[in-house]
């Protein structure tokens, strides 16, 4: 059966639980990916993802088809992830973070994991306004116009934030000279 988003949205808005479930299943990976990259760890991403799913279910009756459904969902996910970060900043933290444990494996896989950890750490050191645009643009492939709509800022602001975020990522990654390849990937993005 083909995925007919507009029909599923209409059915979901009329209370069809199966349609809601299909929409949530379709967007789950995207939602989790946004939340993971914005929050910086799996536990917070899971919390933000669950909050996003709840908000989508509660608010789907009021969704207006003047915007793209994906943009609406991404906005909810972005806001939920930011809320989770704010909650986390009010909670005590522990020094141990399971997300940064690197298994001992082959050299290439280990180098790749270390590069990813360094990129994730650099991403987490960015201010929220820069981190969000990089996640949406470079990691999820969201268009400038959609990012503008998700964040409620002008397209020029989005482009400016992306350029500044990439520069900050480059500076952060250059602090560790062994990851020049990762810097090149950020610049090419």
């Amino acid at each position: 059966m083909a995925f007919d988003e507009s029909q599923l949205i209409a059915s979901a808005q009329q209370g069809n639980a199966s349609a809601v479930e299909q929409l949530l299943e379709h967007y789950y990976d995207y939602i989790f990916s946004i939340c993971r990259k914005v929050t910086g760890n799996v536990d917070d991403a899971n919390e933000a993802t669950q909050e996003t799913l709840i908000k989508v279910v509660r608010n789907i009756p009021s969704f207006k088809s003047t915007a793209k459904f994906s943009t609406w969902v991404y906005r909810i996910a972005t806001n939920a992830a930011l809320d989770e970060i704010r909650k986390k900043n009010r909670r005590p933290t522990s020094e141990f973070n399971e997300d940064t444990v690197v298994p001992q494996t082959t050299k290439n896989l280990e180098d790749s994991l270390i590069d990813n950890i360094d990129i994730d750490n650099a991403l987490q050191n960015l201010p929220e306004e820069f981190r969000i645009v990089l996640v949406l643009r470079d990691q999820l492939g969201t268009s400038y116009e959609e990012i503008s709509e998700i964040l409620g800022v002008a397209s020029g602001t989005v482009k400016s934030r992306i350029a500044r975020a990439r520069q900050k990522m480059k500076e952060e990654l250059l602090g560790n000279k062994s990851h020049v390849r990762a810097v090149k990937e950020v610049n090419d993005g």
Side-chain angles (χ1 to χ4, degrees), residues 126 130 133-134 137-138 144 159-173 183 185-189:
L126 292 177
F130 294 153
V133 293
L134 274 187
R137 179 67 184 161
D138 292 347
Y144 292 112
K159 291 176 184 176
S160 171
R161 286 182 184 174
I162 290 171
R164 289 171 46 202
R166 288 178 179 159
Q167 181 60 38
K168 286 188 178 294
M169 284 285 288
K170 178 180 176 180
E171 291 167 5
E172 181 81 21
L173 292 169
V183 173
E185 290 172 5
V186 169
N187 282 338
D188 293 343

Side-chain angles (χ1 to χ4, degrees), residues 99-113:
D99 294 337
T100 59
V101 174
V102 179
Q104 296 300 315
T105 57
T106 64
K107 189 65 177 161
N108 288 338
L109 179 57
E110 186 174 317
D111 287 345
S112 176
L113 289 170

Side-chain angles (χ1 to χ4, degrees), residues 5-33:
E5 185 174 275
S6 59
Q7 180 60 40
L8 285 174
I9 293 167
S11 293
Q13 289 180 315
Q14 294 173 357
N16 182 327
S18 175
V20 172
E21 185 177 331
Q22 287 178 53
L23 286 167
L24 295 179
E25 285 176 5
H26 179 75
Y27 283 98
Y28 182 85
D29 290 339
Y30 297 109
I31 293 168
F32 180 78
S33 182

Side-chain angles (χ1 to χ4, degrees), residues 2-188:
F3 183 80
D4 183 352
E5 185 174 275
S6 59
Q7 180 60 40
L8 285 174
I9 293 167
S11 293
Q13 289 180 315
Q14 294 173 357
N16 182 327
S18 175
V20 172
E21 185 177 331
Q22 287 178 53
L23 286 167
L24 295 179
E25 285 176 5
H26 179 75
Y27 283 98
Y28 182 85
D29 290 339
Y30 297 109
I31 293 168
F32 180 78
S33 182
I34 290 170
C35 293
R36 169 66 178 88
K37 293 299 180 180
V38 171
T39 64
N41 71 66
V42 174
D43 291 336
D44 292 340
N46 282 327
E47 290 291 325
T49 298
Q50 290 305 310
E51 189 61 32
T52 300
L53 298 175
I54 290 167
K55 287 181 179 179
V56 167
V57 170
R58 284 184 184 158
N59 295 307
I60 200 162
S62 63
F63 169 72
K64 307 265 188 281
S65 59
T66 55
K68 285 178 63 177
F69 187 75
S70 61
T71 302
W72 182 73
V73 170
Y74 294 166
R75 175 179 280 185
I76 293 171
T78 301
N79 289 335
L82 290 172
D83 288 345
E84 192 60 34
I85 290 170
R86 290 179 193 110
K87 285 183 215 173
K88 180 181 177 182
N89 288 338
R90 292 188 297 256
R91 293 189 299 248
T93 59
S94 70
E95 294 295 316
F96 181 72
N97 182 349
E98 291 179 18
D99 294 337
T100 59
V101 174
V102 179
Q104 296 300 315
T105 57
T106 64
K107 189 65 177 161
N108 288 338
L109 179 57
E110 186 174 317
D111 287 345
S112 176
L113 289 170
I114 290 170
D115 285 347
N116 286 337
I117 289 170
D118 285 346
I119 290 170
D120 278 352
N121 287 339
L123 192 61
Q124 291 312 305
N125 288 332
L126 292 177
E128 287 177 5
E129 66 184 11
F130 294 153
R131 182 179 30 207
I132 292 167
V133 293
L134 274 187
V135 168
L136 291 172
R137 179 67 184 161
D138 292 347
Q139 296 186 353
L140 298 174
T142 310
S143 72
Y144 292 112
E145 294 76 25
E146 282 184 299
I147 296 170
S148 174
E149 195 173 322
I150 289 168
L151 299 178
V153 297
S155 184
T157 301
V158 169
K159 291 176 184 176
S160 171
R161 286 182 184 174
I162 290 171
R164 289 171 46 202
R166 288 178 179 159
Q167 181 60 38
K168 286 188 178 294
M169 284 285 288
K170 178 180 176 180
E171 291 167 5
E172 181 81 21
L173 292 169
L174 279 175
N176 184 349
K177 302 288 186 216
S178 66
H179 297 287
V180 174
R181 184 182 54 147
V183 173
K184 181 177 178 352
E185 290 172 5
V186 169
N187 282 338
D188 293 343

